[in-house]
Amino acid sequence: MALEMSSSVEKEAKNFRYNPIETHPSGMAINLRKLDRETGHQEVRSRMIAEYNNIALVSTLLLTMAFPFLVGPPEFPDKDSLKFRVFMYAAAIAVTTLLLSSLVSVSLAYNLNMMPTEKELGEFIRKISQLGPGASPNGLPDYLIVCISIGGLNTLVMAVASIHNSMKPTDAWVITVILFTGVFFIAVLSGTVDQWKWKLIKDM
């Protein structure tokens, strides 16, 4: 009897990190725990699919900007110049990371739709949680958002390299400062909204 109880406790401890909705400390997990108690697994499924679809949409939008420049780059006077190398490497990194996040997001949304019952849905969430901690209970969105961030940053680097290739240095640097200032303010705004979110969640 004692051996059976020990085995049960050991199994529960082993599965602790694989039950993301019940154990994950993130804001999304807190919301999903509340949603799960109030409205069931279907609402959890809908929220997760919506998140994956949003990630896929943003990735695809940035991909449509980066991919044409990878296969048909603008004219650079010197193919051995630093500007051309920076442009092409940035294009390759942007396309790779954005394509990865887009395809993985679409695949996960599709597979979530294929889970027929609450039991299979819960098991599917537990399986993908093994990939590591993240902003959502399944662990993946953090990695996908990192891919989008890398892709977006390299898309911006592509734009800067192209601007410096086609404009006078003074004008090019002015536009570069404007672009990076805009990105900085977007990051600050995003961080502020995130702080508001955490305050609201903690007050729930």
Side-chain angles (χ1 to χ4, degrees):
M1 182 68 177
L3 183 62
E4 185 179 342
M5 287 182 62
S6 175
S7 176
S8 176
V9 170
E10 183 180 348
K11 184 177 180 181
E12 185 177 349
K14 183 179 178 182
N15 290 333
F16 179 80
R17 73 179 294 271
Y18 300 139
N19 192 352
I21 289 179
E22 295 302 324
T23 62
H24 203 283
S26 69
M28 178 65 83
I30 294 170
N31 282 325
L32 290 184
R33 283 196 289 272
K34 184 177 177 63
L35 287 169
D36 195 44
R37 287 193 296 269
E38 293 181 353
T39 58
H41 280 67
Q42 292 306 315
E43 180 66 20
V44 174
R45 185 202 305 261
S46 298
R47 292 290 183 98
M48 292 176 70
I49 289 174
E51 182 172 359
Y52 286 134
N53 287 338
N54 288 337
I55 292 172
L57 179 64
V58 174
S59 299
T60 305
L61 178 63
L62 292 172
L63 186 61
T64 58
M65 298 167 58
F67 186 77
F69 289 106
L70 178 65
V71 296
E75 284 296 325
F76 281 79
D78 183 8
K79 300 298 183 184
D80 292 325
S81 67
L82 178 62
K83 294 174 186 177
F84 180 73
R85 290 176 181 275
V86 168
F87 181 90
M88 292 306 298
Y89 279 115
I93 294 171
V95 168
T96 301
T97 53
L98 294 171
L99 186 62
L100 176 65
S101 63
S102 178
L103 292 178
V104 171
S105 299
V106 170
S107 174
L108 287 168
Y110 168 78
N111 282 287
L112 278 169
N113 272 322
M114 291 297 102
M115 297 298 109
T117 67
E118 294 183 0
K119 180 181 177 181
E120 283 80 11
L121 175 63
E123 185 61 27
F124 181 76
I125 294 173
R126 290 182 180 88
K127 287 291 184 183
I128 47 182
S129 74
Q130 298 176 29
L131 294 171
S136 289
N138 52 24
L140 263 176
D142 264 359
Y143 300 127
L144 298 178
I145 290 170
V146 167
C147 284
I148 293 176
S149 300
I150 293 173
L153 180 61
N154 279 277
T155 303
L156 182 62
V157 171
M158 288 168 49
V160 169
S162 180
I163 288 168
H164 280 264
N165 177 61
S166 60
M167 302 185 69
K168 294 180 179 180
T170 303
D171 295 330
W173 281 112
V174 169
I175 293 176
T176 300
V177 170
I178 292 172
L179 286 173
F180 278 98
T181 301
V183 171
F184 172 77
F185 279 113
I186 290 171
V188 170
L189 178 61
S190 177
T192 303
V193 172
D194 194 61
Q195 289 179 354
W196 293 344
K197 174 201 74 178
W198 276 108
K199 186 177 184 304
L200 291 171
I201 289 174
K202 289 177 180 178
D203 291 342
M204 288 174 61

